Every structure is written in structure tokens, then in C-alpha cells.
Amino acid sequence: MLRAELRKILPYRTVWVILLLYVLLLAGFVAVGGSVTVNGQQFGDTLYAFPALWSRLAYVASYFNLLLGILLIILITDEFQFRTFRQQVIDGRSVAGLVQGKLAVSGLLALYGVLAVLGVGLFFGFTRSPDTVGRAAETVGAVLLYGVQALGYLAVAALVGFLLRKSGLAFLAFLLYAWILEPLLRLTTPDDIDRYFPVKIFDSLTPTPGQELLNTVTGPSSALLPTEAAPLALVYIALFWALSYLVLRNRDL
Amino acid sequence: MSILQLDNLSKRYGGTTALRGLSLQVEAGSVYGLLGPNGSGKTTTLGLALGVLRADGGEVRWFGQPISSQSKRRVGALLETPNFFPYLSARQNLLLAADVKRAAPATVDAALDLAGLTARQHDAFRGFSLGMKQRLALASTLLGSPDVLVLDEPTNGLDPQGIAEVRELIQRLAAQGKTIIIASHLLDEIEKVCTHVAVLQRGELRAAGPVSSILAATDRVLLRLDADIAPATLLHALGQLPWVTEVRPETGGGHSAVLAPGHTPAELNRALFASGVVLAGLEMRQRSLEAQFLELTK
């Protein structure tokens, strides 16, 4: 199954362009981060000091999940457009097999995200703050939580792709939901409920750096701790993929 | 053995009924033609049979069992259009199809050769002509050497030579004992290759059976008299025979009629001779499938 998915992906230039863009944007963002000035003080190389670097990087990378999501939407809606889902079912693949194939692709994309964050982190850690490298392993779990978050955004993207079938509509729905619709819904929902919304749960996995400091100013955040959010995120991921399967199973191809 | 059995299949698209209670049975080794005008339900029937459309009612059985991944791998099918990834080459597309069908990757070379695309195997599918795309799709259906082929308008986009090649291919595969189900509106093609035929119209089955029986049911007998015998004599004699119907004059001279099942031209000749009518000519005119099709779908 994975081999068939790789046969589709590896020769596809769009995939490489988006993956390259992801790593370039992430590295670029991190590279200029050190020269940002706040209150007349430059962050400088302290920004790249372990162990805090991993959670900072995970937070920055969380913004680029949308790129991975858009890539998965392209890969899913392409199959509707080219009628290749239909042909694969004719040729002997089950509907569950089609969804599992894309689930495997989302796993690969999340793994790519994790490796990219690790690679970018190690590069900047070694070059800008080499004396802290000894502490690199202490908080590397933050990158794994970022991986779960990437899987979460990819599960939303997959559901939208399977549901809407057309790339333009699916991009719009994905971005609108993640950036506008759910935040608006959360505004009108009590705090003790809104922290369980899916995108909020996913975002809780990579909290804003310095959140503790912010809490002292604005009051405690309603968000769950990353370790509390992780099992719920996995439940949402399973739910979204199950819904994707149901959508595909109950429709004509 | 029954290869494919469709039992009381129904399908609606919104308020439109595309298929109404269709039942069909395709026997092993037959070349089964599915005929019908555009929108008659041919592709819907095949889509339901191949498991890509959800039926609103009825049942599909392949090899006596409900449809499954195993049964699908014994069937090579081309439905509507050639469905490939445009950015992949012909070879990459066939390797992917072979993976899904669990066919040996080595069979891809033979398939490319069969499609006449060996020289262009590394070119992207998007750059192919319609005929090349159709040939690639046909070659893909043969990967893994399936027992059954389902071909929906297989000669679409092909030039006359390509059409003849597809016809030869179908005949060759049928001679190997493969069962072939072919949907087409090209009646001539169906008539040349099929052993059985089903005629659909507006989602309903109008007729089904061996091509010979569908055609023979309405064969006409052409009767010619010598010039010195008045046609009225013939018409009078025919009027006495209750198993002769639809008597009508033919444009080229003479008359034609339809015999009831179980009666032969020899019997007619004998009966007319006994009535004193001597025929100068008597011939069976086999009706073309086209004429029969038009009659059935009137």
C-alpha cells in the first residue's frame, strides 16, 4: 500500500516544491528570529539555546502545518479529479484501503515535519548556541508533540478533502475552519468547553513560548497542557479519519 | 458457471432513476454486449457491477459471491475514461496499477508492448493523444491476466485501424476463454464480436440473450414472384397462413414477411406451392443489429 502511494508521490513535482518550501520557510523564520528586537533588546543567540529551543521551534513550525495540510488536500482531491480513486477501486483496492493509503501519507508528512524541525533545531543549536547542545535531549518531547499536532491538522485536511473533493473549495474550507470558523465559535463558547475544540486541542500541543509569563499578565490560559491535550488530539485524529472513511464509503466514486 | 449476476439493480441520481430493477446474468466464456442509447444506463450498470457506484437496491455477485477485493482482481475493467495520473509516465502508471492489482511488475513490459507504447513509455500520460490514452487503459485492464474484461466504449477515440485492432484483441481474448463484457453504442462492433447482448433503454432492460436469438426473432423472409403472377395471389395465399405476419412490399420488388417462431422458410415454400403460388425466389434476410436495436428502443 505504501509502495503504491510512494509511486504517486515521488515523481510529483508539486510535492517536492511544497516540502522544500516548508523547510525553507521554517529555517528562514528561525534564522531571522535572532535579529528581532523587543523592547530595544535583540533576541540574539539566546533564542537558539537548548533546552528552550525545541518548544520555540515547535511553536513556529505549528504555523507551517497549513502547508502540509494543503499538500495532503492536493493529493486527495487530485485523485477525485483524475478519477484514480475510482480506478483503484475497480482494480481491487477497498475504500478502506484508499483511506489507509492517505493515512500513511499523512504519517509520512508528519514524520517529515518532525525531522525538519529536528534538523533545523540541531543546525541552529550547534551553530548559534553550541554550549547548550548538551541539554538538547531534555525537551525534545516538544517536537514529538508537534508531530501529533501535524497529524491533527492533516486529519482535518484529509476530512475536508474527502468531503469536498475539489481542491479550491477544500483549501478554503480548511483555512477558514482553522483560522476563522473555530476561533469564532470558541469566542461564543464558555472557556471550559472551548478548550476541547479540535484545533484548540491541536494548538495546545505547542503552547506559545513564554505562556507562563503571559499568564501572569492576562490571567491563566484556558488551554490544556500539552500532555493533557495529546490523548484528546489522538482521539480527534482517529475520529476524523473514521469520518473520512465513512464519507468515502457512502458515496459514489 | 455464472460469472456476473445482477439481481434487480436500481440506481437513482437525485430525482432521476438511472436504472430500474435490472437483472442480468453473464455466463463464463461469453462476449456480452451491453447496448443502449446515450443515457440508457450502460455505464451506471457497469459502475454498480464494478463497485464504484452505490446501488439503491439489488445485488451484484461475481463468480457466485458478493463483490470483494479478490473478485475485483479477477476482473480487468475500463470504465468511461482512461483514469491515470497525468504527471506520471505510461510506465509509472502501469506499475502503480500492477501494484494495486497485485500483478507482477514484469507484466508491465508486455502491456506496454501490446498498447504499442514501448517507445513512449517514459512520456507523461498528459501528453498522450486520446487514442494512446485509450490503448494504455486497455493494456492496463490486461495486467495480471484477469479472467474477465469489462470494457466501456473501448474503441472511443481510436482510428479505424485502432478499432480493428481492439476488435481482434477482443476476439483473441475470447478465444482464450476469457469472459468479456462490453458496453458500446457502436452496434456494428457489438454485432461483430459479441455472443450475447442486452439492450437497455431509459434504465430498463428491453431484451437480453444470445445475439442469434435476438436477431433471429425478427428475421424477415423475402419472397419474389415471376412477373406473370399477380402479387394479389401471393397476398391472398399468405393471408391464409396464420403464422405469417407483417407482410409488406419491398422497395426492390417482391414482398417480405415475418414467420412465427417454430416455422421455417421451407414450410412457407411448401404451403405456398400447395396454394398454387410458385415462388421465383425466397431468401432469409437477417436483420441487422442496428435495425433490431432501433426497433427495441423505439
Side-chain angles (χ1 to χ4, degrees):
Chain A
M1 182 178 67
L2 194 58
R3 188 169 68 168
E5 291 303 320
L6 290 176
R7 281 196 196 282
K8 299 174 198 171
I9 292 175
L10 293 180
Y12 199 7
R13 196 175 301 156
T14 307
V15 171
W16 294 110
V17 168
I18 292 182
L19 291 182
L20 194 66
L21 198 64
Y22 172 91
V23 92
L24 287 179
L25 283 174
L26 179 64
F29 207 82
V30 174
V32 300
S35 51
V36 171
T37 306
V38 176
N39 294 336
Q41 269 195 321
Q42 237 186 18
F43 278 130
D45 288 346
T46 55
L47 195 72
Y48 307 103
F50 290 112
L53 177 61
W54 290 131
S55 54
R56 287 182 190 134
L57 259 181
Y59 175 75
V60 172
S62 69
Y63 284 91
F64 301 111
N65 282 328
L66 293 171
L67 268 182
L68 297 181
I70 283 172
L71 177 53
L72 189 62
I73 287 175
I74 290 175
L75 294 176
I76 289 171
T77 53
D78 267 0
E79 301 240 21
F80 287 112
Q81 192 197 333
F82 306 150
R83 293 186 159 207
T84 40
F85 271 155
R86 166 184 261 216
Q87 190 63 43
Q88 287 166 80
V89 166
I90 289 173
D91 289 345
R93 221 163 168 191
S94 62
V95 168
L98 296 180
V99 177
Q100 283 161 10
K102 294 305 173 221
L103 176 60
V105 171
S106 91
L108 285 180
L109 292 177
L111 180 67
Y112 174 84
V114 165
L115 292 177
V117 171
L118 284 175
V120 168
L122 287 175
F123 174 78
F124 284 100
F126 269 107
T127 54
R128 306 269 178 100
S129 192
D131 48 325
T132 64
V133 167
R135 301 187 64 191
E138 282 178 27
T139 52
V140 77
V143 185
L144 286 182
L145 286 170
Y146 164 70
V148 176
Q149 184 190 60
L151 278 177
Y153 273 90
L154 287 165
V156 175
L159 178 58
V160 169
F162 281 116
L163 204 60
L164 299 177
R165 299 174 180 216
K166 292 198 164 53
S167 54
L169 270 180
F171 294 155
L172 202 64
F174 179 54
L175 298 177
L176 277 180
Y177 182 77
W179 279 355
I180 297 174
L181 189 63
E182 194 188 295
L184 278 178
L185 277 174
R186 290 203 302 259
L187 276 181
T188 56
T189 312
D191 280 355
D192 50 348
I193 295 175
D194 78 10
R195 60 185 172 168
Y196 295 109
F197 276 51
V199 170
K200 181 77 178 172
I201 288 277
F202 299 146
D203 287 347
S204 302
L205 294 167
T206 57
T208 318
Q211 183 66 49
E212 304 81 7
L213 193 69
L214 279 175
N215 287 351
T216 60
V217 181
T218 62
S221 155
S222 67
L224 296 174
L225 293 172
T227 45
E228 292 170 333
L232 290 172
L234 290 173
V235 169
Y236 270 122
I237 290 165
L239 179 73
F240 290 149
W241 283 102
L243 284 174
S244 293
Y245 167 69
L246 289 176
V247 164
L248 204 58
R249 196 193 65 177
N250 292 311
R251 279 189 177 172
D252 293 334
L253 278 174
Chain B
M1 189 186 82
S2 177
I3 293 284
L4 171 64
Q5 196 173 346
L6 305 179
D7 189 19
N8 206 21
L9 275 187
S10 295
K11 176 70 182 170
R12 279 189 303 277
Y13 295 110
T16 312
T17 301
L19 214 57
R20 208 187 310 259
L22 178 80
S23 295
L24 269 187
Q25 195 158 318
V26 179
E27 299 299 326
S30 57
V31 180
Y32 205 106
L34 213 50
L35 275 180
N38 291 337
S40 60
K42 302 186 297 288
T43 299
T44 299
T45 303
L46 295 183
L48 291 168
L50 294 167
V52 294
L53 301 179
R54 315 278 142 218
D56 291 309
E59 197 186 10
V60 176
R61 292 177 84 82
W62 282 98
F63 314 103
Q65 304 286 326
I67 190 167
S68 66
S69 288
Q70 284 74 24
S71 72
K72 284 192 221 161
R73 291 197 175 100
R74 295 176 64 187
V75 180
L78 157 63
L79 189 64
E80 279 188 290
T81 47
N83 302 324
F84 292 106
F85 289 89
Y87 58 84
L88 294 183
S89 68
R91 181 177 194 81
Q92 286 167 331
N93 270 305
L94 288 188
L95 282 169
L96 175 59
D99 266 353
V100 176
K101 291 166 182 253
R102 301 198 182 147
T107 57
V108 164
D109 289 321
L112 284 165
D113 189 42
L114 183 85
L117 292 170
T118 305
R120 299 203 50 188
Q121 60 177 304
H122 299 298
D123 291 359
F125 174 76
R126 71 160 74 87
F128 284 2
S129 68
L130 184 55
M132 288 161 77
K133 289 176 176 174
Q134 193 74 3
R135 291 210 307 274
L136 185 68
L138 277 168
S140 179
T141 64
L142 295 172
L143 288 172
S145 191
D147 302 326
V148 184
L149 288 176
V150 177
L151 307 172
D152 186 15
E153 305 286 359
T155 53
N156 252 4
L158 298 180
D159 54 23
Q161 191 190 348
I163 292 172
E165 281 170 10
V166 168
R167 188 194 311 142
E168 277 167 34
L169 177 68
I170 289 170
Q171 284 165 337
R172 202 165 66 231
L173 294 166
Q176 291 169 12
K178 292 191 191 299
T179 307
I180 299 165
I181 302 167
I182 173 170
S184 182
H185 58 260
L186 297 177
L187 301 155
D188 191 38
E189 286 306 312
I190 294 274
E191 195 169 358
K192 278 179 181 144
V193 298
C194 291
T195 58
H196 292 70
V197 65
V199 180
L200 289 175
Q201 192 194 19
R202 289 195 283 272
E204 286 185 57
L205 187 66
R206 301 304 301 261
V211 171
S212 54
S213 78
I214 297 270
L215 292 180
T218 47
D219 282 348
R220 295 187 77 82
V221 186
L222 183 63
L223 308 162
R224 273 194 303 275
L225 296 171
D226 269 339
D228 56 339
I229 300 179
T233 323
L234 173 68
L235 295 178
H236 177 74
L238 290 174
Q240 306 302 310
L241 303 171
W243 40 275
V244 178
T245 54
E246 294 184 42
V247 179
R248 67 177 181 223
E250 289 291 310
T251 44
H255 285 76
S256 72
V258 172
L259 306 185
H263 295 274
T264 63
E267 215 179 327
L268 176 64
N269 195 14
R270 204 175 301 122
L272 288 175
F273 190 76
S275 313
V277 179
V278 180
L279 293 170
L282 183 152
E283 84 180 69
M284 284 295 291
R285 181 186 285 171
Q286 206 173 45
R287 207 165 193 196
S288 73
L289 190 56
E290 184 173 347
Q292 175 64 356
F293 172 77
L294 291 172
E295 182 75 31
L296 283 166
T297 56
K298 242 196 295 207

Coordinates of all heavy atoms in Angstrom, one line a residue, chain B residues 218-224 234-235 238 244-251 253-259 268 283-285:
Chain B
T218 N -36.7 -11.7 -35.3 CA -37.4 -10.8 -36.3 C -36.8 -10.9 -37.7 O -36.9 -9.9 -38.4 CB -37.3 -9.4 -35.8 OG1 -36.0 -9.1 -35.4 CG2 -38.3 -9.1 -34.6
D219 N -36.1 -12.0 -38.0 CA -35.7 -12.1 -39.4 C -36.9 -12.1 -40.3 O -37.9 -12.6 -40.0 CB -35.0 -13.5 -39.5 CG -33.6 -13.5 -38.9 OD1 -33.1 -12.4 -38.6 OD2 -33.0 -14.6 -38.8
R220 N -36.7 -11.5 -41.4 CA -37.7 -11.4 -42.4 C -37.4 -12.3 -43.6 O -36.3 -12.6 -43.9 CB -37.9 -10.0 -42.9 CG -38.3 -9.0 -41.8 CD -38.6 -7.6 -42.4 NE -39.9 -7.6 -43.1 CZ -41.1 -7.4 -42.5 NH1 -41.1 -7.3 -41.1 NH2 -42.2 -7.4 -43.1
V221 N -38.6 -12.9 -44.1 CA -38.4 -13.7 -45.3 C -38.8 -12.9 -46.5 O -39.8 -12.2 -46.5 CB -39.3 -14.9 -45.2 CG1 -39.1 -15.9 -46.4 CG2 -39.2 -15.6 -43.9
L222 N -37.9 -12.9 -47.5 CA -38.2 -12.1 -48.7 C -38.7 -13.0 -49.8 O -38.0 -14.1 -50.1 CB -36.9 -11.4 -49.2 CG -37.0 -10.5 -50.4 CD1 -37.9 -9.3 -50.1 CD2 -35.6 -9.9 -50.8
L223 N -39.8 -12.7 -50.4 CA -40.5 -13.6 -51.4 C -40.6 -12.8 -52.7 O -41.0 -11.7 -52.7 CB -41.9 -13.9 -50.9 CG -42.0 -14.4 -49.5 CD1 -43.4 -14.3 -48.9 CD2 -41.5 -15.9 -49.4
R224 N -40.1 -13.5 -53.8 CA -40.2 -12.9 -55.1 C -41.0 -13.8 -56.0 O -40.9 -15.1 -56.0 CB -38.9 -12.6 -55.7 CG -38.3 -11.3 -55.3 CD -37.1 -10.9 -56.1 NE -36.1 -12.0 -56.0 CZ -35.1 -12.0 -55.1 NH1 -35.1 -11.1 -54.1 NH2 -34.3 -13.0 -55.1
L234 N -50.3 -13.9 -54.2 CA -49.4 -14.2 -53.1 C -50.0 -13.7 -51.8 O -50.0 -14.4 -50.8 CB -48.0 -13.5 -53.4 CG -47.0 -13.6 -52.2 CD1 -46.6 -15.0 -52.0 CD2 -45.8 -12.7 -52.5
L235 N -50.5 -12.4 -51.9 CA -51.0 -11.8 -50.6 C -52.2 -12.6 -50.1 O -52.4 -12.8 -48.9 CB -51.4 -10.4 -50.9 CG -50.3 -9.4 -51.2 CD1 -50.8 -8.0 -51.5 CD2 -49.3 -9.4 -50.1
L238 N -50.8 -15.8 -48.6 CA -50.2 -15.5 -47.3 C -51.3 -15.3 -46.2 O -51.1 -15.6 -45.0 CB -49.2 -14.3 -47.4 CG -48.0 -14.6 -48.2 CD1 -47.2 -13.3 -48.3 CD2 -47.1 -15.6 -47.5
V244 N -47.9 -16.4 -40.5 CA -47.1 -15.4 -41.3 C -47.7 -14.0 -41.0 O -48.9 -13.8 -41.2 CB -47.2 -15.7 -42.8 CG1 -46.5 -14.6 -43.6 CG2 -46.7 -17.1 -43.1
T245 N -46.9 -13.1 -40.6 CA -47.4 -11.8 -40.2 C -46.5 -10.7 -40.9 O -45.5 -11.0 -41.5 CB -47.3 -11.6 -38.7 OG1 -46.0 -11.8 -38.2 CG2 -48.3 -12.5 -38.0
E246 N -46.9 -9.5 -40.7 CA -46.2 -8.3 -41.1 C -45.8 -8.3 -42.6 O -44.6 -8.1 -42.9 CB -44.9 -8.1 -40.3 CG -45.2 -7.7 -38.8 CD -43.9 -7.4 -38.0 OE1 -43.1 -6.7 -38.6 OE2 -43.8 -7.9 -36.9
V247 N -46.7 -8.7 -43.4 CA -46.5 -8.8 -44.8 C -46.4 -7.4 -45.4 O -47.3 -6.6 -45.1 CB -47.6 -9.6 -45.6 CG1 -47.3 -9.7 -47.1 CG2 -47.7 -11.0 -45.0
R248 N -45.3 -7.1 -46.1 CA -45.3 -5.8 -46.7 C -44.4 -5.8 -48.0 O -43.5 -6.6 -48.1 CB -44.7 -4.8 -45.7 CG -43.3 -5.0 -45.3 CD -42.8 -3.9 -44.4 NE -41.4 -4.1 -44.1 CZ -40.9 -4.0 -42.8 NH1 -41.7 -3.7 -41.8 NH2 -39.6 -4.2 -42.6
P249 N -44.8 -4.9 -48.9 CA -44.0 -4.8 -50.2 C -42.6 -4.3 -49.9 O -42.4 -3.5 -49.0 CB -44.8 -3.9 -51.1 CG -45.6 -3.1 -50.1 CD -45.8 -3.9 -48.9
E250 N -41.7 -4.8 -50.7 CA -40.3 -4.3 -50.5 C -40.0 -3.3 -51.6 O -40.5 -3.5 -52.7 CB -39.3 -5.5 -50.6 CG -39.3 -6.4 -49.4 CD -38.8 -5.8 -48.2 OE1 -37.7 -5.2 -48.2 OE2 -39.4 -5.8 -47.1
T251 N -39.1 -2.4 -51.3 CA -38.8 -1.4 -52.3 C -38.2 -2.0 -53.6 O -38.4 -1.5 -54.7 CB -37.9 -0.3 -51.8 OG1 -36.8 -1.0 -51.1 CG2 -38.6 0.6 -50.9
G253 N -38.9 -4.7 -55.1 CA -39.8 -5.6 -55.7 C -40.0 -6.8 -54.7 O -39.2 -7.1 -53.9
G254 N -41.1 -7.5 -54.9 CA -41.4 -8.6 -54.0 C -42.0 -8.2 -52.7 O -42.2 -7.0 -52.5
H255 N -42.2 -9.1 -51.8 CA -42.8 -8.8 -50.5 C -41.9 -9.5 -49.4 O -41.2 -10.4 -49.7 CB -44.2 -9.4 -50.4 CG -45.2 -8.5 -51.2 ND1 -45.3 -8.6 -52.6 CD2 -46.1 -7.6 -50.8 CE1 -46.2 -7.7 -53.0 NE2 -46.7 -7.1 -51.9
S256 N -42.1 -9.0 -48.2 CA -41.4 -9.7 -47.1 C -42.4 -9.9 -46.0 O -43.4 -9.2 -46.0 CB -40.2 -8.8 -46.6 OG -40.7 -7.7 -45.9
A257 N -42.1 -10.9 -45.1 CA -43.0 -11.2 -44.1 C -42.2 -11.8 -42.9 O -41.0 -12.2 -43.1 CB -44.0 -12.2 -44.5
V258 N -42.8 -11.9 -41.8 CA -42.1 -12.4 -40.6 C -42.9 -13.7 -40.2 O -44.1 -13.8 -40.2 CB -42.2 -11.5 -39.4 CG1 -41.7 -12.1 -38.1 CG2 -41.4 -10.2 -39.7
L259 N -42.1 -14.8 -40.0 CA -42.6 -16.1 -39.6 C -42.7 -16.2 -38.1 O -41.8 -15.8 -37.4 CB -41.8 -17.2 -40.2 CG -41.5 -17.2 -41.7 CD1 -40.7 -18.4 -42.1 CD2 -42.8 -17.0 -42.5
L268 N -42.9 -22.5 -45.4 CA -43.7 -21.4 -46.1 C -43.7 -21.8 -47.6 O -44.8 -21.6 -48.3 CB -43.0 -20.1 -45.9 CG -43.6 -18.9 -46.6 CD1 -45.0 -18.6 -46.2 CD2 -42.8 -17.6 -46.4
E283 N -35.7 -15.8 -49.8 CA -34.4 -15.7 -49.0 C -34.7 -15.1 -47.6 O -35.7 -14.4 -47.4 CB -33.4 -14.8 -49.8 CG -33.6 -13.4 -49.6 CD -32.6 -12.5 -50.4 OE1 -32.7 -12.5 -51.6 OE2 -31.8 -11.9 -49.7
M284 N -33.9 -15.6 -46.7 CA -33.9 -15.1 -45.3 C -33.1 -13.8 -45.3 O -32.0 -13.8 -45.7 CB -33.3 -16.1 -44.4 CG -34.1 -17.3 -44.1 SD -35.6 -16.8 -43.2 CE -35.0 -16.3 -41.6
R285 N -33.7 -12.8 -44.8 CA -33.0 -11.5 -44.7 C -32.7 -11.3 -43.2 O -33.7 -11.0 -42.5 CB -33.7 -10.4 -45.3 CG -32.9 -9.1 -45.2 CD -33.7 -7.9 -45.6 NE -33.9 -7.9 -47.1 CZ -34.7 -7.1 -47.7 NH1 -35.5 -6.3 -47.0 NH2 -34.7 -7.1 -49.1

